[in-house]
Amino acid sequence: MPDSFTLSGGRVAEIGASASDRRKVSVSGSTVYYKNARNVSAVSNDGSLTSGSSLVFSEPTYLLSASNSSVVLSEVDELRADSWLSVKDFGAYGDGVHDDRAAIQAALDYAYGLGGATVFFPPGTYMVTSTLSVDSGVILTGAGRKVSKIKLAGGANCDLIRTAGYATYVGGGTTNGPTMFGFRDISLDGNKASNSGGKGVAIYGRNYTIENVTIYNTSSDGLWSQWYTSGDEMEASITNLKVLDSGAKGIHWDGPHDSTFSRCQVVRSATTGIRLDTGLAAGTMFNQCHVWGSQAIAWDIRTTGTQMIGCIGEGSSSVQCILDAQTIRMVGCQFFGIGVGDTSTALQVGDTGTGAYPSDCIVEAQLTSVNKCIDVQREGGYNKFDLVTKPKSGGTVGIAAGTFQSSDTVLHRSDGIASSGMLQLTGGPTVRVGTGAPGGVVAGYIGDLYLRSDGGASTTLYVKESGAGTSAGWVGK
């Protein structure tokens, strides 16, 4: 709680159980909420309540309201009183018509002045004509994302919400910036039908939370976040976030590193569902997150140490997941297309347009219903792949001779194609399983083995004895 508190008309009041426990608070409008008080009566201001005057009660922190003639202290509801401020007490309408930006910003600034507080949005649609600024310790909370909404007015063409100092800090490599702020139980509408630009939430900050929030209809990215790599208590926590119909990327993440995403959904982004940039986003963790819809790329992972557990990418027109960094851990993930008519790749390893060579990765995934299951453009070896594949009818798995490095370990099981499985041991030969003779069909290297499940005498086991990298040179044993 801050050291000063200005009542309407410039008067100052101290509240505390004793001189050592007095707390000074500030009211810029007419009302402020504090913790619950009992047996408090109205106190008449006869003109003696001026700057420096004291009000001492047995239980500190009360609801105050000021008028020209009196200061009234009364009992308040415990939920709202526990450092909660309602935007309606600062003049917000929430009717979807009036411009509530000034009232909301007054509440946010006041909460920051208290050293941090929760700003409450009762049910309603709160229209704003310019960007809201959120600083350290301020939590924006609605009554539920179905009923509490902040909406960008038509023609505003700006970010809906930014952290304080964003324009100064972003891209500057600084450890300045807000901390310990957050968003809960609210929807944020970018109104892209009536705007030509603007993100939903643009953050340069750390150690923040997003919980039970929907961001949708933004002209640009739904959520953009960045933080420099240094400092304590960096990690953000994002739970049950839903981002829909973004005009660019759904989530564009560039830090804080080691942050966690749990049970999040990104739907129908224009370009990319979730994009992790290099460096600052290292160590980001995803648990049961789902990207789906008509975006070009569902997941675009370009940062070291990313972890994905039980995540899904589906329906993208180009690639369901790009893996283009080192030490990525992917367990129990699924990437799939739309089946008939699909033109996408399920998993792309490396990118010929970058300098990254993925290495030391562990990838356990199911790749199905796509035109091509895997496209290894470049990789640095020492990876472990455990893949189950089933392309669409007429599609390909994409695993040919030379696809993987000799230092990789690969377990591949497939369905519906001639070469239906393979095992590659680090530094050793590759063992493939399938139907029909491999000659002229399955490429391999000298020493590779092919097990034919429909073979007979001298046609069950084949050894690659010549023609390295080609489909010739298989000899039945």
Side-chain angles (χ1 to χ4, degrees), residues 241-246 249-251 264-269 272-274 289-293 295 298:
L241 168 67
K242 191 167 188 176
V243 183
L244 299 93
D245 299 312
S246 298
K249 301 172 182 66
I251 297 174
C264 298
Q265 295 184 55
V266 180
V267 183
R268 295 185 301 269
S269 302
T272 304
I274 296 178
C289 295
H290 187 182
V291 180
W292 61 274
Q295 61 278 324

Side-chain angles (χ1 to χ4, degrees), residues 2 4-7 24-28 31-32 34 110 114:
S4 64
F5 170 62
T6 304
L7 290 172
K24 299 179 180 180
V25 290
S26 163
V27 177
S28 58
T31 307
V32 64
Y34 290 101
Y110 187 77
L114 293 176

